[in-house]
């Protein structure tokens, strides 16, 4: 197979493998949100729970430079939702890839400000046990004797710090200005309630508003809206969630160590 065939084969594998199934489901969900203007109705259309749809759309938003779906006034259920221009561009790009692979490959090779849909679709297909996955840009690299601190731009107003070994930095060939995916397991995320920034030794402190709480017999999953269309999930004991009054609409902080941030590259 020639060079062009190799590229097409890689894309088809994304469509046909387990990764592809994830991509298609999320694209279909985006289309239903655009059609119905509602996450709950979109979830019913594709045959999944509202919780599953909400989590899938949050994952898409976290991995895109700008949100693909935005909630309208009135709440996540009552106020409806819209698919943004970036979300519509992602949908269109996915179908272009399916229908005219060669043409799309040429289109995306132009670079510039054009939405890099193949790269975005690869991110959507990333399979990981980490609950939180964020697309970030490397803004600073501070070298030490053994470890390196990586400063990451998450949103216009929020940054992250990752601590990795110098060897890993070299192996991954991470450079300034590069886009990377930052992974944070929800059980590593600590929560503090209130508006004021807490005094803590953790390097990463993200202010947000509780957007959702799901209680289990022992643990609770708390999701914070941290602005810029991004959310972060934390798993805490239900007792702690009750004691801090972590209910939707309450201000809170997500705290986690720099060493708990895992970096991945395309």
């Amino acid at each position: 197979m020639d060079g062009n065939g190799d590229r097409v084969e890689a894309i088809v594998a994304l469509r046909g493998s387990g990764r592809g199934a994830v991509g298609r489901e999320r694209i279909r969900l985006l289309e239903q949100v655009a059609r119905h203007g509602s996450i709950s109705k979109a979830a019913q259309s594709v045959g999944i729970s509202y919780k599953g749809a909400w989590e899938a759309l949050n994952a898409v938003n976290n991995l895109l430079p700008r949100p693909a779906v935005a909630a309208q006034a009135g709440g996540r259920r009552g106020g409806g939702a819209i698919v943004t221009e970036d979300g519509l561009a992602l949908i269109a790009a996915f179908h272009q890839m399916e229908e005219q692979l060669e043409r799309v490959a040429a289109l995306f090779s132009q670079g510039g400000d054009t939405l890099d849909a193949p790269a975005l679709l690869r991110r959507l297909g990333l399979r990981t046990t980490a609950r939180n996955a964020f697309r970030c840009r490397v803004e600073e690299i501070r070298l030490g004797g053994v470890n390196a601190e990586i400063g990451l731009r998450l949103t216009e107003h929020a940054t992250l710090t990752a601590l990795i070994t110098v060897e890993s930095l070299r192996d991954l060939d991470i450079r300034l200005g590069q886009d990377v995916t930052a992974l944070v397991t929800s059980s590593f995320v600590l929560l503090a309630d209130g508006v004021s920034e807490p005094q803590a030794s953790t390097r990463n402190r993200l202010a947000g508003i509780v957007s959702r709480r799901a209680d289990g017999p022992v643990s609770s999953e708390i999701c914070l809206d941290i602005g810029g269309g991004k959310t972060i999930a934390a798993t805490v004991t239900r007792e702690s969630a009750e004691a801090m009054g972590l209910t939707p609409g309450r201000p809170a902080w997500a705290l986690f160590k720099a060493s708990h941030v895992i970096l991945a590259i395309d």
Side-chain angles (χ1 to χ4, degrees), residues 162-262:
L163 183 66
I164 64 176
T165 65
V166 172
E167 182 179 2
S168 294
L169 177 71
R170 292 169 179 165
D171 287 344
L172 295 176
D173 194 24
I174 294 176
R175 304 178 183 181
L176 290 174
Q178 180 179 356
D179 287 338
V180 299
T181 300
L183 307 171
V184 185
T185 303
S186 62
S187 59
F188 288 158
V189 179
L190 305 178
L191 295 178
D193 62 334
V195 177
S196 300
E197 183 172 354
Q199 297 297 316
S201 60
T202 53
R203 290 296 303 276
N204 296 297
R205 307 172 194 176
L206 299 175
I209 302 294
V210 176
S211 58
R212 189 179 68 86
R213 170 174 161 179
D215 291 327
V218 177
S219 301
S220 295
E221 182 181 79
I222 310 295
C223 290
L224 301 185
D225 182 340
I226 56 177
K230 311 296 184 183
T231 60
I232 187 168
T235 302
V236 300
T237 65
R238 186 168 180 175
E239 183 179 1
S240 296
E242 294 284 357
M244 289 189 286
L246 295 174
T247 55
R250 291 290 298 272
W253 289 77
L255 315 171
F256 49 97
K257 297 179 179 180
S259 58
H260 287 164
V261 180
I262 299 171

Side-chain angles (χ1 to χ4, degrees), residues 32-43:
Q32 292 303 311
V33 173
R35 177 182 178 184
H36 296 287
S38 164
I39 295 177
S40 59
K41 290 181 180 179

